[in-house]
Amino acid sequence: MKAVCLLSGGMDSATLAYYAKNMGYDILPLHITYGQRTQSRELRCAQKIATLLGAEPPVVISLDYFSVFGASSLTDVAIDVETYEESPEERPNTYVPFRNANLLAIATSFCEAEGGDAIFIGVQAGDYIGYPDCRPEFIEAFQSVIDLGTMSKKPIALMAPFVGMNKAEILKVGFDLSVPYEETWSCYQNDDLACGTCSSCHFRLEAFRAAGRPDPISYRRLP
């Protein structure tokens, strides 16, 4: 069995890759850059995770047009990344318009070309608010798109095993699989020391605290 794994280099996607490997899939890592502030660090993490899994190096695809579109602090340096306290519930400024649909379209092409069986994406329950393309309904709808739009001789399953979990629950899965979280990156702002103040850092630190484990990466500031 072969599976395309969207491997961003973050803690959720690293856990996802180990989870898919544990299910018996040969991993086809896919890493997408889209002009995000920390893309060089994320790529190094994705490459390291792939190596540790014994997979091929990630296929790297650039979607620089997201920087042209802007409208997100991840892709437009003129927009400051919000701190966790500033982040609104409805639309955080770190939302990249319709990003996951773009990522999944590329993953589907890659999977079909390789004769793969599945696509794995690490969306999770904490992202529902403010990130509509992380919801279970979106995953179900995109499965229909895959079914209708491909000519694969076998079905391609869109797998989102963490879609009903929070980050602490995902971490517990990862600890059981010995995921090397020191080789992952979550910060939206920095690629040297994690800022500790953006929403992604906040939720990562909160998850490690809930799981009763120290976060193995270093931070500029701890809340």
Side-chain angles (χ1 to χ4, degrees):
M1 298 190 300
K2 294 189 292 186
V4 171
C5 219
L6 282 162
L7 187 57
S8 70
M11 56 181 279
D12 296 338
S13 77
T15 309
L16 183 79
Y18 273 74
Y19 184 90
K21 181 76 171 180
N22 189 60
M23 288 180 66
Y25 286 97
D26 290 332
I27 304 301
L28 302 171
L30 176 62
H31 181 80
I32 309 293
T33 65
Y34 51 94
Q36 69 270 39
R37 294 168 186 258
T38 58
Q39 66 179 20
S40 60
R41 182 62 179 266
E42 290 178 25
L43 175 57
R44 294 199 302 272
C45 290
Q47 291 169 331
K48 182 67 173 181
I49 293 296
T51 298
L52 292 172
L53 280 169
E56 292 294 315
V59 171
V60 181
I61 302 294
S62 174
L63 302 183
D64 286 344
Y65 54 79
F66 278 117
S67 295
V68 177
F69 298 159
S72 170
S73 62
L74 298 193
T75 58
D76 186 345
V77 294
I79 304 173
D80 292 335
V81 175
E82 295 165 332
T83 65
Y84 168 68
E85 291 81 7
E86 294 171 339
S87 298
E89 290 188 355
E90 292 187 359
R91 192 186 188 282
N93 78 5
T94 51
Y95 169 66
V96 179
F98 213 47
R99 182 189 64 177
N100 284 347
N102 286 259
L103 271 56
L104 285 172
I106 292 167
T108 302
S109 294
F110 183 28
C111 190
E112 185 174 13
E114 291 287 337
D117 301 274
I119 298 161
F120 279 76
I121 185 170
V123 295
Q124 50 92 17
D127 288 334
Y128 296 174
I129 297 175
Y131 298 91
D133 53 359
C134 292
R135 293 176 296 172
E137 298 92 330
F138 175 81
I139 297 300
E140 292 166 9
F142 210 93
Q143 178 69 73
S144 296
V145 170
I146 293 170
D147 295 340
L148 289 169
T150 57
M151 295 182 67
S152 177
K153 293 180 180 178
K154 54 188 175 182
I156 295 174
L158 179 53
M159 309 285 280
F162 306 150
V163 74
M165 296 185 187
N166 60 38
K167 279 191 178 291
E169 292 167 334
I170 295 169
L171 272 182
K172 290 176 183 177
V173 171
F175 294 145
D176 289 341
L177 295 172
S178 300
V179 176
Y181 288 113
E182 68 276 9
E183 304 292 351
T184 66
W185 197 251
S186 302
C187 184
Y188 287 150
Q189 177 71 54
N190 303 326
D191 61 6
D192 48 1
L193 290 177
C195 71
T197 58
C198 71
S199 60
S200 188
C201 283
H202 168 83
F203 289 118
R204 176 179 173 128
L205 286 164
E206 188 178 64
F208 272 97
R209 291 190 189 104
R213 299 277 192 101
D215 188 341
I217 70 168
S218 298
Y219 288 83
R220 287 185 185 275
R221 174 184 170 190
L222 289 173

